[in-house]
Amino acid sequence: MPRSKKRNNRGGQHRGVQPFSDEDASIETLSHCSSLSDAASVAEEVVDVSEDAAQEDFEYKLKGYIDSTLDKSAKTRHSALDGLKTAMASKMLYEFLLERRITITDSIERCLKKGKGDEQRAAATLACLLCIQLGSGIESEEVFKTLKPIFMNILADRTANIQARQACATSLGVCSLVAEDDILDVYATMECFESLFAKSYTKEDGTQSVFNAQTTALHISALLAWALLLTICSNTELKKILKKHLPRLPSLLKSDDVNMRIAAGEAIALIFELARDLDAEFEYEDLESLCANLSALATDGNKHRAKNDKRKQRSVFRDVLKAVEEGDFQTETIRFGSERMYIDCWVKKRTYDAFRELVGSGMNYHLQANEFIRNVFELGAPVVVDSAALKAMKISRFERHLYNAAAFKARTKARSKFRDKRVDVGEFI
């Protein structure tokens, strides 16, 4: 074949291929994006399927726990109760529990009546968590009406396990706050608590009552539960309580148990706050003596007390003293997700501490997702945050690294300038 022909053919081939235009680039980009979009949608479907499967597995495990609460083995029943407690403390299960609340209530009742010690304690705590999950309504009221007489019996039974009685005191307090439909019944429950912790008051002859550590712990639980219900009392009832208990509560500040002293101090601060809300001109007759006692506890240097106890006590009583003397409160900020809440009074603090004691590390989750708890703290409806918004709120590890590197560089530069100035000044001198 002639060379010219070959050249022409090669040239023809080049002329036949069109240059890569902007239009082709956009088409290519759209095609690539489309394929990415398809891949993303497939990935989302896979994630949805895997999440559904995980939820099914989770519910299957919960059903197993519920069944195991009826097992003949006390160890198995206790383990099942703990499993349900952990699940309720860390996740919202309203629909699941709503369908099975009667079965779970029957299991709790059985464990409270026939179990001992740890099993009763776990069952009492589970009852609290069930009411918190169901919220204020007829469902939680039904649960509490079934279990309340059992709580009262165990609490009043001096032969029952002390830890079980403590758990029943806590459960009575929280469940009354959540599910009691008659305020007069709340007052009757408070009187039941009073009959316990009032035994630790100084006697009429001036002598201090002495109890073993376990009994004192029971009195502390009763005092804390009583203080929780104090936050929902009517003004008329508050006046009666002020007259009856405020003169005697300070005697608990002399207790040998640091937790009793702290519980009493916080109860006094709460009462003063409620009294001043009731009457802005409220005055306590023995204020000077009370403040002197609180001040001594806020600066306690007793060598016979453990360092941790003294540190904890001093911190609490500094706040209590401010509350009693000036009506001040040290505001605490609680951050959860993209939100924050301010604990700005003793009423909120007592309520928050009561719920946190039950749900533990799951408290922030419940503040985000539990409608009942959000209503208690006036947080409004749960804030829905999609995955894209969550991703936008988070700083990537690479961005954090860049930020830290830039900050380090700026600090180093500032130090160098400062050193240079010192050298210049030294040379000048």
Side-chain angles (χ1 to χ4, degrees), residues 269-329:
L270 174 64
I271 287 177
F272 267 79
E273 180 179 273
L274 292 170
R276 284 168 177 153
D277 287 343
L278 193 63
D279 179 8
E281 302 300 322
F282 168 77
E283 291 184 4
Y284 178 55
E285 291 180 2
D286 204 12
L287 182 62
E288 187 176 343
S289 174
L290 174 59
C291 289
N293 289 334
L294 295 175
S295 180
L297 291 168
T299 56
D300 189 7
N302 193 325
K303 293 181 180 180
H304 300 292
R305 288 175 180 162
K307 287 184 178 179
N308 288 339
D309 287 352
K310 286 190 288 186
R311 191 181 299 114
K312 182 180 178 183
Q313 175 182 287
R314 286 196 293 259
S315 175
V316 170
F317 278 97
R318 281 195 293 268
D319 294 337
V320 172
L321 183 59
K322 286 181 182 178
V324 172
E325 279 188 328
E326 306 165 18
D328 287 346
F329 183 88

Side-chain angles (χ1 to χ4, degrees), residues 53-266:
Q55 182 64 21
E56 287 180 8
D57 289 344
F58 181 69
E59 291 187 1
Y60 180 78
K61 185 180 287 188
L62 290 180
K63 291 173 186 174
Y65 286 145
I66 293 170
D67 292 340
S68 295
T69 57
L70 303 176
D71 196 270
K72 291 182 179 180
S73 166
K75 186 176 180 181
T76 301
R77 292 196 304 271
H78 186 201
S79 178
L81 292 169
D82 282 343
L84 289 170
K85 278 167 49 186
T86 301
M88 291 189 200
S90 59
K91 194 169 185 178
M92 280 304 298
L93 303 166
Y94 180 78
E95 297 296 337
F96 178 88
L97 296 174
L98 189 64
E99 295 176 4
R100 298 166 179 81
R101 68 185 186 281
I102 296 174
T103 303
I104 296 172
T105 303
D106 289 344
S107 294
I108 293 171
E109 182 179 7
R110 181 186 177 92
C111 291
L112 285 170
K113 285 181 174 179
K114 298 188 176 182
K116 294 181 180 179
D118 290 341
E119 184 181 340
Q120 289 178 308
R121 182 172 58 181
T125 304
L126 183 61
C128 270
L129 291 169
L130 180 59
C131 286
I132 290 172
Q133 286 271 347
L134 295 174
S136 291
I138 192 168
E139 294 84 6
S140 59
E141 287 175 14
E142 289 173 354
V143 171
F144 188 44
K145 281 180 180 177
T146 300
L147 300 177
K148 181 180 176 181
I150 307 170
F151 290 150
M152 297 290 277
N153 288 338
I154 294 174
L155 187 60
D157 185 359
R158 294 184 179 182
T159 64
N161 178 274
I162 285 285
Q163 283 79 20
R165 294 175 73 191
Q166 282 182 251
C168 286
T170 301
S171 296
L172 267 172
V174 174
C175 291
S176 293
L177 182 76
V178 177
E180 187 64 84
D181 60 347
D182 189 341
I183 193 65
L184 295 179
D185 289 335
V186 171
Y187 299 155
T189 301
M190 291 179 71
E191 287 178 2
C192 177
F193 294 144
E194 290 169 14
S195 68
L196 289 172
F197 71 76
K199 292 175 182 177
S200 290
Y201 283 158
T202 299
K203 296 177 183 178
E204 292 182 2
D205 60 3
T207 58
Q208 191 74 28
S209 301
V210 179
F211 297 96
N212 61 39
Q214 287 187 326
T215 303
T216 299
L218 173 62
H219 293 178
I220 294 168
S221 295
L223 176 58
L224 292 172
W226 176 81
L228 176 66
L229 296 183
L230 194 62
T231 64
I232 59 172
C233 287
S234 68
N235 292 344
T236 304
E237 190 66 21
L238 274 174
K239 289 177 181 177
K240 294 178 184 177
I241 289 170
L242 285 171
K243 187 176 180 180
K244 181 179 180 181
H245 288 282
L246 190 52
R248 302 189 69 191
L249 267 172
S251 68
L252 298 180
L253 300 175
K254 299 176 183 177
S255 171
D256 291 333
D257 190 294
V258 64
N259 292 317
M260 174 59 90
R261 295 194 298 273
I262 289 172
E266 292 185 341

